[in-house]
Amino acid sequence: MTIAVDFDGTIVEHKYPQIGREIPFAIATLKQLQQEHHRLILWSVREGELLDEAVEYCRQRGVEFYAVNSNYSEEPVALNSACSCRKLKVDLFIDDRNVGGLPDWGVIYEMIHNKWSYERYMREVHRGEEPEKVSFWKKMFG
């Protein structure tokens, strides 16, 4: 599986342009995914020196990316990257800006390892329990 992973807010806490503290188990989970032969792509708003710092931060902790802000390492970089509309061909994105936020890294690993959707993960975790279904409108307007 090819997986795009955000940096700020996903691997580390948001402290942009500095590098925040590692989010618990992010690096360990990424290393495990690599051992299971998943391709990891760092997908970040960072560019230039700030991007190099993020890549080096991960490299020093044992995470080597298949590619950085591209589909593969040899992919040509757009000349005007500020206006570039990059589109990755990946199976999955891990990003703190997901609808619902970033699940715990243990949940992320279990979902990828078992090829489960978040809904399936919740069914498996709460097996035998019938979760209360609340309509979208009731959630929004009580």
Side-chain angles (χ1 to χ4, degrees):
M1 184 180 296
T2 303
I3 304 168
V5 185
D6 180 37
F7 186 71
D8 295 289
T10 303
I11 297 174
V12 298
E13 295 174 350
H14 272 290
K15 298 289 182 194
Y16 184 87
Q18 288 79 32
I19 294 179
R21 291 187 316 213
E22 178 191 341
I23 292 179
F25 305 107
I27 295 292
T29 302
L30 294 173
K31 288 167 66 173
Q32 182 63 37
L33 292 172
Q34 284 183 313
Q35 288 178 358
E36 294 176 9
H37 306 289
H38 295 284
R39 289 183 181 167
L40 302 180
I41 296 175
L42 183 64
W43 185 243
S44 176
V45 69
R46 289 174 176 258
E47 294 178 323
E49 195 173 302
L50 295 176
L51 181 59
D52 293 342
E53 289 172 2
V55 170
E56 186 58 28
Y57 175 91
C58 294
R59 182 177 290 127
Q60 288 176 0
R61 287 155 182 80
V63 175
E64 291 282 343
F65 293 100
Y66 171 74
V68 176
N69 284 348
S70 62
N71 287 295
Y72 51 93
S73 60
E74 299 84 20
E75 187 174 42
V77 177
L79 293 177
N80 184 0
S81 60
C83 296
S84 175
C85 296
R86 302 178 305 225
K87 179 76 172 180
L88 288 182
K89 298 172 190 89
V90 299
D91 301 299
L92 181 69
F93 287 88
I94 301 174
D95 193 324
D96 63 309
R97 302 295 175 142
N98 291 327
V99 173
L102 183 70
D104 176 88
W105 275 97
V107 171
I108 292 169
Y109 174 76
E110 193 163 2
M111 289 171 54
I112 294 169
H113 181 76
N114 293 315
K115 299 180 176 127
W116 289 347
S117 66
Y118 187 70
E119 182 179 350
R120 170 87 187 271
Y121 172 81
M122 293 305 288
R123 271 198 320 266
E124 295 295 328
V125 168
H126 299 290
R127 188 173 279 180
E129 300 173 27
E130 190 61 37
E132 179 186 347
K133 292 191 176 182
V134 180
S135 77
F136 169 77
W137 299 109
K138 188 171 183 177
K139 289 178 190 174
M140 292 299 291
F141 303 107

